């Protein structure tokens, strides 16, 4: 990643001071619950029984259920791979990719959600979480895989371009 990013040890998130954060959120109450729960459990793994027990509604199921990882289980991603995860959200897929041993650069446009993702991956040295808008992302690295899970459908809301989906794909 470019030298323009600095690391905040409190949030464990890399960011740029001039980054324009995205207003996407599940809401303060939900995101407070996710972060508080992650900070209170010992096991933050993708198969954590503590997180499964903390599922109480659709948002917590979406972020804590081990079923989310079925999206990528069929792909043989491992320690030899570098993965760029654009729109990592609260880190459910990020966690899974990190557990597979891949070097993961996870990018989330909302700082609060990036902090939640970093907490979910707190024990994985092979995962770095960045807060930046993907259209402003400064990147010099090359990757074996790039994911856009749950991103393209929101492109028209956040990308100011005549063809927002095409624009995002051209950036990738």
């Amino acid at each position: 990643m470019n030298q323009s990013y600095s690391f905040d040890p409190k949030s464990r998130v890399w960011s740029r001071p001039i980054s324009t954060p995205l207003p996407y959120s599940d809401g303060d109450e939900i995101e407070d619950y996710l972060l508080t729960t992650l900070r209170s459990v010992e096991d933050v793994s993708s198969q954590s029984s503590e997180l499964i027990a903390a599922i109480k509604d659709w948002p917590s199921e979406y972020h804590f259920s081990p079923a989310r990882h079925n999206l990528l289980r069929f792909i043989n991603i491992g320690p030899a791979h570098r993965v760029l995860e654009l729109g990592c959200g609260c880190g459910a897929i990020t966690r899974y990719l990190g557990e597979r041993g891949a070097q993961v650069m996870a990018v989330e446009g909302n700082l609060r959600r990036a902090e939640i993702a970093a907490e979910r991956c707190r024990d994985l040295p092979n995962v770095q979480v960045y807060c930046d808008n993907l259209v402003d992302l400064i990147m010099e690295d090359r990757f074996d895989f790039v994911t856009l899970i749950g991103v393209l459908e929101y492109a028209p809301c956040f990308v100011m371009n005549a063809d927002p989906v095409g624009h995002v794909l051209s950036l990738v």
Side-chain angles (χ1 to χ4, degrees):
M1 193 54 91
N2 188 289
Q3 303 291 350
S4 301
Y5 293 86
S6 59
F7 183 72
D8 174 22
K10 184 174 184 273
S11 66
R12 292 190 299 276
V13 173
W14 292 85
S15 62
R16 292 182 304 133
I18 58 171
S19 176
T20 306
L22 294 179
Y24 185 84
S25 172
D26 284 323
D28 288 342
E29 182 180 339
I30 291 163
E31 290 176 2
D32 286 345
Y33 177 74
L34 297 174
L35 187 57
T36 300
T37 301
L38 288 168
R39 286 180 174 160
S40 70
V41 300
E42 287 186 38
D43 181 7
V44 292
S45 72
S46 61
Q47 299 293 322
S48 169
S49 60
E50 291 176 279
L51 293 181
I52 292 169
I55 295 171
K56 63 177 189 165
D57 52 19
W58 169 245
S60 59
E61 181 172 352
Y62 183 80
H63 295 291
F64 292 156
S65 170
R68 286 281 309 283
H69 316 118
N70 289 334
L71 290 168
L72 299 178
R73 284 192 203 284
F74 70 96
I75 302 172
N76 189 21
I77 297 174
H81 298 115
R82 293 178 43 83
V83 179
L84 174 63
E85 183 188 13
L86 297 172
C88 74
C90 296
I93 299 295
T94 314
R95 177 72 203 192
Y96 172 75
L97 292 168
E99 288 174 356
R100 301 284 303 163
Q103 290 297 313
V104 181
M105 180 180 294
V107 180
E108 171 55 40
N110 178 287
L111 183 57
R112 177 63 181 248
R113 293 167 69 81
E115 183 178 5
I116 295 167
E119 185 66 29
R120 182 74 189 263
C121 299
R122 66 185 180 223
D123 60 339
L124 297 174
N126 53 319
V127 174
Q128 294 180 328
V129 179
Y130 289 79
C131 182
D132 206 353
N133 186 327
L134 72 88
V135 298
D136 299 326
L137 190 62
I138 299 171
M139 183 184 337
E140 299 163 356
D141 300 24
R142 306 292 289 171
F143 297 90
D144 301 300
F145 298 95
V146 178
T147 68
L148 291 157
I149 299 168
V151 171
L152 293 178
E153 59 265 37
Y154 291 102
C157 300
F158 299 112
V159 177
M160 300 307 120
N161 187 286
D163 179 13
V165 172
H167 183 65
V168 168
L169 290 173
S170 72
L171 292 172
V172 172

